Amino acid sequence: MRSHLVRLRVLALLWVLALLSACGGGGGGDMGGSGLQCTGSVGGTVVISGRITYERIPHRLDGGLNYANRFDEPARGISVQAISEGDALANAVTDDNGDYSLSVPTGTRLFIRARAEMLRTGTPQWNFRVFDNTSVGDPLYVLDGSLFCADAVTLTRNLHADAGFTSSGNVDGPRAAAPFAILDSMYRAYTKVLGVQPNAVFPALQIGWSPDNVPASGGTGSGVCASNGRIDTSFYTDSTLCVLGANDLDTDEYDDHVLIHEWAHYFEDQFSRSDTIGGPHTIEDRLDLRLAFSEGFGNAWSGIVTDDPAYRDSLGTNQSQSSDFDIDSDPVSNPGWYNEAAIHQLLYDLYDGGPSDDDPLALGLGPIYQVLVGSQRTGVPLTSVFSFLSSLKTLNPASATSINVIASGQGIHGTDAYGSGETNAAGNADVLPVYTALTVNGSAVTRCSTDFFGTYNALGNRQFFRFSASGSGPYSIRAGATAGPLSADPVIVLHQAGSRSDELDDGFAGEAEVLSVDLSTGDYVVEVWDYRNVTSGGGPPDRYCMNVSVSR
Amino acid sequence: MKPVIAALLSLSTLVACQGHSPPGAAPASESSSHRPGKPVAPADAQLLLHADTVRDVAADLVLVITPSSPVDRLRASISGTEGLELEPLQLDLGPLAAGEAQRQDLQVTRRSAGPGQVRVLLETWRGESHEARARLLPVRGGEEIAEKATTSPQLGPGGEAILSLPATESR
């Protein structure tokens, strides 16, 4: 490992070499006050090539980051510029080895800049960049070399970004490698997609990272990633990924699986669909089916992209601890359609193959991708493991039996996109059926919102109903409290294929909500919950029962 | 949001502290937050503040409680849940002015690999109705994690804001 002192010596040596190679005569401006003089353009070009690398800190198998075994990695797919007098004279992109090549006029005074950016226009297309969300203007991170003169036919300039840590995990310099390590995780993710969709167009993704991004609430600022760095945790929303960088608390720049998990949410948002309601979650929780699938998919995706099921999230003093789990083989607590671990294991089992495969299927990514960008994106049912499996079996009928076997092994038994026939109630009868069928102008159906597994995003907080509108026109969806000591305070939301109505919540506890809406012919999903089981401070969570009906 | 296996997350939650009515006292009739005018049943007299999941890191924790309106007495009962054990703590605070923050160091006795939470139960007396904000802050060396001072951005070609990192350069 290079020490900080050695790095300083190298920089000093490079500086001396740069001065020694200075071209004589005037012509160039005095950029940066360096005093370096070049001849200025005298005709001809100079080819400048080199390699951009960054320092990667691997994980220890027993937890935490392994600073003693750091190694250099190529910065792949990175934008490189020749900067002269404040302008970008030439641009290049690094290849899979981190190599670049560009040409500038002979006699130019310049330096090489590697941008924390992956940019490609045309088809395929992508645009990923890492910025500092805690600095004014959200600046893009760039890695700058030293000033030199283009005074030979060919020149080599290699740039390396140090991690900025000692071998024991103490910060000893700028953490220049972090933005490039993050981008390399993005690179792994999008190239995996290109393997099954070579013409993919990836909408822009901004990634906010800073050493000041801490696991604390109280974020301020108008951007997605708090400008004071209080981002709570690494997360994705609105085409932006915010990444923790808090030394001795939780850094995520070397946590491939964490970064790719969040990229999975970007993928859901831009390529597929997720109806998740978000919120706190653990791999043991019994969760709302939408959240369970989204997070299970994120975990599985991190294993699929890396072909490594060992999920590792380093944290703690000197990043010496980890939250680790094996996506493929760890025993699942509370398996079922509501558990993210059951779902990540299921998805990974559907994907993986080879000698270590412990299940009867090895579909690879293609069939999974087709479902995610197909009916999972456009279907009426809420996005869940049921909607995913139903479509997967339809598109791969020869594998349907094996898919059912693997799903059943995770406590998932529903037979269609609505989870019909599901028998796993997690020990609480209120959670089944997954969806309750309503008949237009039929009798009201009683279901109960329960806080048995927690609040806001826990299994059973929200009840789901489905109905078919056989004709266009006005409809009324009603949710009222049942008789009893605990008067429900219903809230209604109507869904159709990814579109979602505003929450209807006009009445007090004990009063019915009636959603009046003009509908087109088609299938719809109604979501109903009790206000107190979802909204903190609204009152005591409990089991509240409601009668739900639809009429025309 | 990345899955939480064992982690430390701070919280900032606005909670309506409905009066904890002593026997014989009239229950509070309205909550003070979220939905003004919403009738609240007597069972709402106490509200439980659920902390976000607490993450397992080396930081200590400080609880900060800030009432939004003056309060004579406020009792905070604090405990940890699975994954994060705290010395059970009951604080009798007050009188407090609006916005007057009360800080309390929390003694974490054990963290496990599982998820953890901090539960904070806020109670008032005399049927008072209040809002209070409770936050958990990670601290290092007794000091809250410092927030970064802002500086003007460096501008690159085209006026793009950039932040230049030092490179080790070779030829």
Side-chain angles (χ1 to χ4, degrees), chain B:
Chain B
M1 191 160 66
K2 69 177 181 176
V4 175
I5 311 306
L8 171 77
L9 194 66
S10 59
L11 73 96
S12 177
T13 304
L14 192 66
V15 61
C17 304
Q18 196 61 45
H20 182 192
S21 304
S29 60
E30 291 190 348
S31 70
S32 58
S33 69
H34 295 289
R35 295 196 292 183
K38 180 93 169 174
V40 176
D44 286 358
Q46 297 183 106
L47 293 181
L48 187 62
L49 171 63
H50 290 271
D52 290 341
T53 300
V54 172
R55 315 193 65 210
D56 182 7
V57 301
D60 294 322
L61 297 173
V62 170
L63 177 70
V64 181
I65 299 172
T66 311
S68 299
S69 55
V71 56
D72 284 342
R73 295 179 66 193
L74 181 66
R75 170 169 290 175
S77 302
I78 302 152
S79 60
T81 63
E82 56 178 325
L84 184 134
E85 293 181 2
L86 299 172
E87 287 292 338
L89 188 63
Q90 187 163 284
L91 302 174
D92 284 331
L93 307 172
L96 300 175
E100 182 180 355
Q102 292 292 306
R103 297 172 64 93
Q104 175 63 44
D105 293 336
L106 301 184
Q107 301 297 317
V108 178
T109 56
R110 188 178 73 85
R111 291 186 173 100
S112 72
Q117 289 184 321
V118 173
R119 287 173 179 265
V120 182
L121 177 64
L122 296 177
E123 302 170 82
T124 60
W125 280 258
R126 304 172 191 163
E128 296 171 329
S129 180
H130 292 281
E131 287 182 0
R133 183 175 293 279
R135 299 172 62 199
L136 278 177
L137 304 175
V139 293
R140 274 201 307 259
E143 294 188 2
E144 184 181 336
I145 295 169
E147 294 182 7
K148 182 179 178 180
T150 56
T151 55
S152 298
Q154 176 188 356
L155 297 181
E160 178 188 36
I162 57 171
L163 197 159
S164 180
L165 300 165
T168 304
E169 189 168 2
S170 63
R171 303 180 182 187

Side-chain angles (χ1 to χ4, degrees), chain A residues 61-118:
Chain A
L61 294 179
D62 60 347
L65 292 182
N66 190 346
Y67 290 94
N69 281 352
R70 69 185 65 190
F71 57 93
D72 294 346
E73 283 267 85
R76 302 178 288 184
I78 298 295
S79 300
V80 178
Q81 294 177 316
I83 303 290
S84 177
E85 316 307 327
D87 291 325
L89 276 191
N91 296 279
V93 175
T94 58
D95 63 15
D96 283 357
N97 297 315
D99 292 338
Y100 73 93
S101 179
L102 45 75
S103 298
V104 300
T106 302
T108 306
R109 186 174 65 167
L110 75 156
F111 65 90
I112 297 299
R113 167 173 289 166
R115 296 164 58 86
E117 170 191 80
M118 293 168 163

Side-chain angles (χ1 to χ4, degrees), chain A residues 158-204:
Chain A
N158 303 313
L159 300 186
H160 178 71
D162 289 332
F165 285 92
T166 67
S167 59
S168 55
N170 293 312
V171 173
D172 71 343
R175 290 161 61 186
F180 299 95
I182 292 168
L183 280 178
D184 206 64
S185 296
M186 306 298 105
Y187 180 91
R188 300 180 78 168
Y190 79 73
T191 53
K192 191 75 176 187
V193 171
L194 291 174
V196 295
Q197 177 51 271
N199 294 326
V201 172
F202 298 88

Side-chain angles (χ1 to χ4, degrees), chain A residues 131-136 141 171 175 178 208-220 225-233 242-253, chain B residues 138 140 144-151 163:
Chain A
F131 68 97
D132 179 3
N133 56 286
T134 66
S135 290
V136 175
Y141 288 106
V171 173
R175 290 161 61 186
W209 174 88
S210 166
D212 297 313
N213 280 355
V214 297
S217 61
T220 58
C225 309
S227 60
N228 64 354
R230 292 176 173 273
I231 64 170
D232 276 337
T233 185
C242 307
V243 181
L244 288 169
N247 177 49
D248 287 340
L249 286 174
D250 195 347
T251 65
D252 281 342
E253 61 260 34
Chain B
R140 274 201 307 259
E144 184 181 336
I145 295 169
E147 294 182 7
K148 182 179 178 180
T150 56
T151 55
L163 197 159

